[in-house]
Amino acid sequence: MKVLVIGGGGREHAIVHALKKSPKVDHIWCAPGNGGIAQEAECVEIKATDIDGVVAFAKAQRPDLVMVAPDDPLALGMVDALEEAGIRAFGPRKNAAVIEGSKSFAKELMKKYGIPTASYAVFEDSTAAIDYIRRNGAPIVVKADGLALGKGVTVAMTEEEAVAAVRDAIDGHAFGGAGARVVIEEYLTGPEVSVLAFVDGKHLKTMPSAQDHKRAYDGDAGPNTGGMGAFSPSRFYTEEIAAVCMETIFQPTVAAMAKEGRPFKGVLYFGLMLTPKGPKVIEYNARFGDPETQAVLSRLETDLFDIFNAVIDEKLDEIEIHWADNAACCVCMASGGYPKAYEKGKEITGLADVKDSFVFHAGTAVRGGTFVTSGGRVLGVTAVAPTLEEAIRKAYADVEKIHFEAAHYRRDIGVK
């Protein structure tokens, strides 16, 4: 079987790495891929958002399955286009991917179906939004409505910070069209947990819990990023909480999307806050999270190719999915300056010295036979061990072996 994976980051490397383990898969393409992915798959120079280019390639090469991993091509309707061309594709269609592509849609869905989330208001006018902030005070959360590479959320501890976020998004066009509308939310407290689930339109099966670290610096300081590291499982996500989430959040969300005529098929990501009043949804993603995927898929024992096919065929209830009884930690090594301006082309050394972890490549290229940096997040050093503490220790021991100019990483992944 031949598989085409769309995307070129650490998440896609983790997906390719998992698919490589399948005895049914004998060739993998990745578009566009990266330097590390090229060690495990044939990389194709097609942008992840180039729907016409991907469809043309798939028509020519006839992969048995196309896995669309990133949010942008899903929101643009890549799965729809592939299916219309008679090509088997994994991922939600455009009308279901809107659950991530529009935060206002997601909030209205939750309100309509009684799914617990923070109270909120939606604005397209900055003056009205600022008035709302002044009335409600801080802390408060400001979110760009559309896709903003994980950087469109401001957890404002002061009114001034919230006002600045609104002005940047609506008036300053900091996120382009994605910030023309903002969602302003109640500030919730409690441990955060990420739970990803395979969904076939009707049925869902959750993956082990994980926790992401969004802020750039230790102690959850600095600006939001796409994610500076993750670990699995969460220390706070008990079987009792999982049962509550299944009854009040997971199943109701899948049922709501089906009732709205937007059946969700693919991976649905639930960003949760375990508040004193119970679990609440912070956000949905319409795909595997990054870097949670690196940690979670490292624990998967079942053939990922079989799972993808069960989802596409709406037979998820007929497959058993097994996970190792262990823990994983992924530490992201980023370019200096990320998530703001950073330089590319820095030589990476020490990769051959890594023994106890697997290094997923997020932003690398090969130049003259040497790996160099080519993105903000560069590597995801991921270790698996019987306990979380050991996985964290192993990951950091291997991070210390890798070097490139101005490398930046948090030193407290998994400490929460």
Side-chain angles (χ1 to χ4, degrees):
M1 295 288 187
K2 299 179 290 185
V3 180
L4 169 61
V5 176
I6 306 301
R11 165 186 53 218
E12 288 75 28
H13 194 181
I15 292 166
V16 166
H17 187 66
L19 288 170
K20 283 278 288 186
K21 298 175 184 177
S22 172
K24 301 179 180 71
V25 176
D26 49 34
H27 191 83
I28 302 174
W29 294 280
C30 191
N34 62 42
I37 292 174
Q39 310 303 304
E40 301 196 73
E42 180 183 346
C43 291
V44 184
E45 289 189 20
I46 304 173
K47 289 183 179 179
T49 52
D50 183 358
I51 293 178
D52 291 342
V54 167
V55 171
F57 180 85
K59 281 183 174 180
Q61 300 295 331
R62 305 308 302 180
D64 296 284
L65 187 150
V66 179
M67 193 284 168
V68 184
D71 47 8
D72 284 339
L74 291 169
L76 291 169
M78 184 174 284
V79 169
D80 308 59
L82 287 163
E83 289 180 344
E84 287 166 12
I87 297 159
R88 194 170 171 82
F90 178 93
R93 296 180 182 126
K94 182 177 182 178
N95 73 342
V98 71
I99 198 169
E100 176 178 9
S102 171
K103 291 182 177 61
S104 57
F105 169 85
K107 297 295 284 190
E108 288 156 13
L109 182 84
M110 288 185 275
K111 182 178 180 181
K112 181 176 179 179
Y113 290 94
I115 298 166
T117 189
S119 60
Y120 72 100
V122 181
F123 300 94
E124 295 181 0
D125 176 75
S126 61
T127 300
I130 291 167
D131 287 345
Y132 181 85
I133 291 167
R134 296 299 188 198
R135 290 196 306 273
N136 287 274
I140 199 165
V141 182
V142 179
K143 297 181 176 180
D145 183 61
L147 300 175
L149 299 174
K151 302 166 192 172
V153 177
T154 299
V155 180
M157 303 311 293
T158 65
E159 289 183 20
E160 289 68 28
E161 190 180 357
V163 168
V166 166
R167 286 181 171 147
D168 283 348
I170 296 179
D171 301 331
H173 310 291
F175 308 106
R181 178 187 296 121
V182 298
V183 176
I184 301 180
E185 290 186 353
E186 166 195 12
Y187 174 78
L188 299 178
T189 59
E192 288 187 43
V193 178
S194 302
V195 178
L196 290 75
F198 295 109
V199 184
D200 70 359
K202 297 178 182 178
H203 312 99
L204 82 156
K205 293 200 172 181
T206 57
M207 305 181 209
S209 63
Q211 186 168 341
D212 186 12
H213 295 64
K214 285 289 187 189
R215 298 292 188 123
Y217 309 124
D218 290 2
D220 288 334
N224 270 343
T225 70
M228 292 299 296
F231 62 92
S232 174
S234 162
R235 294 185 176 91
F236 302 101
Y237 191 71
T238 63
E239 290 185 7
E240 292 75 18
I241 290 173
V244 171
C245 290
M246 183 64 74
E247 181 180 351
T248 64
I249 294 173
F250 303 157
Q251 290 179 334
T253 299
V254 174
M257 290 295 283
K259 194 168 183 179
E260 291 293 305
R262 303 170 183 268
F264 191 99
K265 293 174 66 173
V267 171
L268 185 54
Y269 169 115
F270 298 88
L272 307 174
M273 185 78 80
L274 307 183
T275 78
K277 296 182 179 180
K280 295 188 178 185
V281 178
I282 304 171
E283 65 172 346
Y284 295 112
N285 289 341
R287 36 75 191 184
F288 278 108
D290 189 347
E292 293 96 333
T293 303
Q294 291 87 304
V296 171
L297 284 190
S298 295
R299 303 179 61 200
L300 178 64
E301 293 182 334
T302 301
D303 190 321
L304 185 61
F305 184 69
D306 286 345
I307 300 172
F308 285 169
N309 281 294
V311 167
I312 294 170
D313 295 331
E314 300 180 11
K315 295 180 178 179
L316 189 59
D317 58 324
E318 298 178 16
I319 188 173
E320 291 290 333
I321 302 177
H322 299 284
W323 303 89
D325 183 17
N326 57 14
C329 176
C330 173
V331 179
C332 291
M333 301 184 71
S335 298
Y338 175 77
K340 298 181 180 178
Y342 55 86
E343 295 182 359
K344 300 180 182 180
K346 306 299 183 183
E347 182 178 349
I348 303 168
T349 61
L351 291 171
D353 298 325
V354 173
K355 304 299 182 187
D356 291 330
S357 306
F358 189 86
V359 182
F360 294 110
H361 289 235
T364 67
V366 177
R367 188 177 65 193
T370 301
F371 284 113
V372 297
T373 65
S374 67
R377 289 184 294 177
V378 179
L379 302 168
V381 181
T382 305
V384 175
T387 67
L388 182 56
E389 288 67 27
E390 188 178 349
I392 294 167
R393 181 190 60 75
K394 287 170 65 176
Y396 275 107
D398 281 328
V399 164
E400 294 295 330
K401 299 172 184 176
I402 302 170
H403 305 280
F404 54 90
E405 184 182 331
H408 163 66
Y409 57 91
R410 283 183 56 162
R411 290 167 170 78
D412 62 349
I413 302 301
V415 172
K416 286 185 179 183

